Amino acid sequence: MSAFTTAFAHSMSGDAARVPTEGGRSAYGEVSGAPASRTYGGLESGQRQAARRARLMAAVFRLVADRGLRRTSVGAICRTARLSNRDFYATFADLHTAVETVYQERARQALSAAAEALHRSSPEPGSRIAAAVRAYLRFVLADERRVRFLHPQELPTDTGLITLRRRFMSDLLHLAGPPPDHPRLAVPPTSLMVCALLGAMDTLVSTAGLPIGPAEVNLRIDTGADMVQRCLLAGAEPAQLDATQ
């Protein structure tokens, strides 16, 4: 199980709290503003910093989704956000840090969607897995930019995104997996399983042919849920599998 927590785990109980922690810190990052001081333009210092951060993150998301990481620059981000390079470097150490921060934010939102779905699902393992994976895929497929940002077709190897993506998929599988009271049904996700499912998800939500109609969206969602069910329940005995249907 990967060692990290998500922001929503602090405010939700039950399934959301199943996401592991590491020293009480989220590997998806935490936003901390400087203490407010002088007021300018109706905003205090901390509010201005938060507003700049939000504008930069929105620009990063838009440009990386539309152009790809290799064709996104700090200058382009600043022009889109209508901020200066100085504002950018006062907020992020470099381009890769900015992109990873935005990925962390979107990953938190995706896991929140999966956790909310688990609250409404049947406690049976198969139903839980399907509910969480379907919620995740609905979240992604609802926005073409989310598809291209969370499941890029081209990803440089010199960024931390590769590790973050594997960590996210591992936690999604643990969150969706059978609860502790069904230990025999739980197949702990191995590194190989995580990589395989991440690649399969990349293909499943590929932007090729987008925008797609409702029927195709539902087909992809059902396919993804079935795929993860088969992986996580692979070690269950036939009688146990029947009980999950």
Side-chain angles (χ1 to χ4, degrees), residues 210-227:
L210 284 177
I212 57 179
E216 177 64 21
V217 169
N218 289 333
L219 176 61
R220 295 189 187 198
I221 289 172
D222 289 342
T223 300
D226 181 69
M227 174 176 63

Side-chain angles (χ1 to χ4, degrees), residues 18-103:
R18 291 178 63 200
V19 180
T21 63
E22 181 179 358
R25 249 184 107 192
S26 168
Y28 283 166
E30 297 183 24
V31 177
S32 60
S37 54
R38 293 179 297 177
T39 299
Y40 178 78
L43 296 176
E44 294 183 336
S45 173
Q47 294 174 314
R48 293 198 303 274
Q49 290 176 11
R52 285 195 296 266
R53 184 185 182 92
R55 287 165 61 182
L56 287 167
M57 290 177 68
V60 168
F61 175 69
R62 175 181 170 183
L63 291 175
V64 172
D66 291 350
R67 302 180 178 183
L69 180 54
R70 293 185 188 278
R71 288 172 289 281
T72 297
S73 66
V74 171
I77 291 169
C78 292
R79 287 191 295 273
T80 300
R82 300 178 114 179
L83 293 169
S84 68
N85 280 29
R86 179 179 179 180
D87 290 325
F88 180 91
Y89 287 109
T91 306
F92 302 109
D94 52 35
L95 174 61
H96 288 169
T97 301
V99 174
E100 290 162 17
T101 301
V102 176
Y103 180 89

Side-chain angles (χ1 to χ4, degrees), residues 18-210:
R18 291 178 63 200
V19 180
T21 63
E22 181 179 358
R25 249 184 107 192
S26 168
Y28 283 166
E30 297 183 24
V31 177
S32 60
S37 54
R38 293 179 297 177
T39 299
Y40 178 78
L43 296 176
E44 294 183 336
S45 173
Q47 294 174 314
R48 293 198 303 274
Q49 290 176 11
R52 285 195 296 266
R53 184 185 182 92
R55 287 165 61 182
L56 287 167
M57 290 177 68
V60 168
F61 175 69
R62 175 181 170 183
L63 291 175
V64 172
D66 291 350
R67 302 180 178 183
L69 180 54
R70 293 185 188 278
R71 288 172 289 281
T72 297
S73 66
V74 171
I77 291 169
C78 292
R79 287 191 295 273
T80 300
R82 300 178 114 179
L83 293 169
S84 68
N85 280 29
R86 179 179 179 180
D87 290 325
F88 180 91
Y89 287 109
T91 306
F92 302 109
D94 52 35
L95 174 61
H96 288 169
T97 301
V99 174
E100 290 162 17
T101 301
V102 176
Y103 180 89
Q104 291 162 355
E105 178 191 50
R106 301 294 166 168
R108 279 199 299 268
Q109 294 171 353
L111 286 179
S112 292
E116 286 290 345
L118 287 176
H119 286 310
R120 301 187 297 271
S121 75
S122 161
E124 294 177 340
S127 297
R128 287 175 53 84
I129 294 169
V133 175
R134 284 193 173 107
Y136 168 69
L137 289 174
R138 284 194 191 97
F139 173 84
V140 173
L141 290 169
D143 183 343
E144 187 175 344
R145 282 186 172 134
R146 288 179 193 164
V147 172
R148 294 196 298 261
F149 193 93
L150 291 171
H151 293 274
Q153 298 301 299
E154 178 183 314
L155 187 64
T157 58
D158 59 344
T159 75
L161 279 179
I162 293 176
T163 299
L164 281 177
R165 276 165 42 83
R166 290 175 182 171
R167 194 176 283 173
F168 166 75
M169 182 55 62
S170 175
D171 281 308
L172 177 63
L173 296 179
H174 278 98
L175 183 67
D181 56 345
H182 290 84
R184 292 185 179 179
L185 287 176
V187 178
T190 63
S191 296
L192 184 60
M193 183 189 294
V194 167
C195 290
L197 283 175
L198 185 56
M201 287 287 191
D202 286 344
T203 301
L204 190 65
V205 302
S206 170
T207 57
L210 284 177

